[in-house]
Amino acid sequence: MCDRPFAPVFIEVMRWELFGQITRKLAAVRDFEPERDAARYAEQLLALHPRLFTRLDGGPESVVARMAARTIAVDHLREVCQLPDVVAELQRSMANSTMGAGERLVRVAGLAYLVCENDLIRDDLPAGFGLVDDCIVLRGARLATAHVLGTDHFVEDLTMIHYLAVAIPDPLLPDIEAALALAAELEMRTRPLPNAIVELAIRELIERPPTDYPPPLLLPDHEAGVETQSPLLLSAGEIDVADAGLLVIEFEDGTRLQRNRDATLEYA
């Protein structure tokens, strides 16, 4: 089972519908065991993303590819098991007096994605594979508001989003980018708005969580021509090096991400 059970943070809004749905969804996360479930996750990865392994000797069918897929699977499942902690941190942060209404809206919208029935990837895929997009969006919400409570997680969030994205089907990468851009856009759109308007949008998400993505928001239309880019551009990747837990993944845009043998991530 996941190392840490869900310990909900009891702030005033916890009694509302969104947070009740989150609690119920996270209860299922406790059933995952990264080491036990890695084989099934790796099977999904190999089947859906054979291109990721094409540079390796023997290609996707090789032993090296299967070992690399299992390494990624364990890491991704550990991230899925961290969802309760990430959610708890986001909830806790919203009670911080230094956080404005706009930043709270970004984080609530990220939490709403977690319980959205029609999000970008089905949640019921085997071995937690369908929760990777949720992990990305929640980290994106934190990334878009990193300036509020400091940047302790900034590089960690960037590298982990990139690493998780190798599990996203290539056709969906633009949609994941759009989800990350939405978080940045919300933060920007709400800056000139009165807090009362933004708080109404927050309350609507909490009381009536959306079933579809992107969620409808009770905000005035933003200026035409204002376009917000994703804080992180995502593209398909291929494993360039796989050696006893060391992985180097090269993406189409030239970015190289290194997964070290101690499971830390850095840009190569």
Side-chain angles (χ1 to χ4, degrees):
M1 295 175 67
C2 288
D3 293 338
R4 287 190 289 276
F6 176 44
V9 177
F10 290 97
I11 59 178
E12 181 181 357
V13 295
M14 280 297 291
R15 68 181 184 275
W16 291 343
E17 180 62 25
L18 172 62
F19 296 94
Q21 290 187 24
I22 289 172
T23 300
R24 291 191 291 273
K25 180 164 183 175
L26 291 181
V29 171
R30 295 183 60 189
D31 293 333
F32 293 121
E33 293 184 11
E35 295 292 338
R36 181 198 66 196
D37 296 324
R40 287 196 303 150
Y41 189 105
E43 288 175 5
Q44 294 281 307
L45 192 60
L46 287 161
L48 294 173
H49 298 285
R51 175 182 172 181
L52 181 63
F53 307 95
T54 52
R55 293 191 191 181
L56 301 178
D57 290 341
E61 304 298 325
S62 66
V63 173
V64 174
R66 290 198 295 273
M67 292 176 64
R70 192 183 191 285
T71 296
I72 294 171
V74 171
D75 291 342
H76 284 193
L77 281 166
R78 285 175 178 161
E79 179 70 8
V80 169
C81 284
Q82 290 293 322
L83 273 173
D85 290 341
V86 174
V87 167
E89 181 190 341
L90 289 174
Q91 291 174 188
R92 188 183 302 112
S93 71
M94 288 186 289
N96 192 301
S97 60
T98 64
M99 180 169 288
E103 288 84 10
R104 283 199 299 276
L105 176 60
V106 171
R107 295 187 171 210
V108 169
L111 292 170
Y113 183 93
L114 183 63
V115 299
C116 185
E117 294 178 10
N118 301 310
D119 59 6
L120 297 176
I121 298 179
R122 287 175 24 231
D123 289 344
D124 60 355
L125 291 177
F129 202 88
L131 295 174
V132 172
D133 58 320
D134 300 83
C135 294
I136 290 174
V137 169
L138 287 178
R139 281 194 176 262
R142 190 166 69 177
L143 187 63
T145 54
H147 62 284
V148 180
L149 300 176
T151 57
D152 291 346
H153 300 290
F154 188 78
V155 174
E156 174 195 334
D157 287 335
L158 281 175
T159 53
M160 182 55 74
I161 288 172
H162 240 138
Y163 189 40
L164 291 169
V166 302
I168 302 296
D170 291 351
L172 286 180
L173 285 174
D175 296 315
I176 294 293
E177 262 191 31
L180 296 173
L182 176 62
E185 176 191 313
L186 282 179
E187 197 278 328
M188 185 177 68
R189 282 177 62 188
T190 54
R191 287 178 192 173
L193 297 178
N195 281 348
I197 292 178
V198 182
E199 294 291 354
L200 281 175
I202 293 172
R203 189 181 186 96
E204 178 70 13
L205 283 176
I206 291 173
E207 293 183 340
R208 284 175 283 277
T211 57
D212 296 307
Y213 184 83
L217 295 170
L218 296 179
L219 292 175
D221 292 336
H222 60 295
E223 294 181 24
V226 176
E227 185 175 342
T228 307
Q229 291 187 336
S230 166
L232 183 62
L233 300 179
L234 301 176
S235 58
E238 297 178 2
I239 299 174
D240 192 44
V241 176
D243 181 17
L246 172 68
L247 302 175
V248 178
I249 304 169
E250 184 169 353
F251 297 89
E252 285 182 342
D253 63 0
T255 301
R256 288 172 65 86
L257 180 68
Q258 181 166 307
R259 189 269 189 197
N260 298 310
R261 290 187 176 90
D262 62 358
T264 57
L265 299 172
E266 61 182 311
Y267 290 114

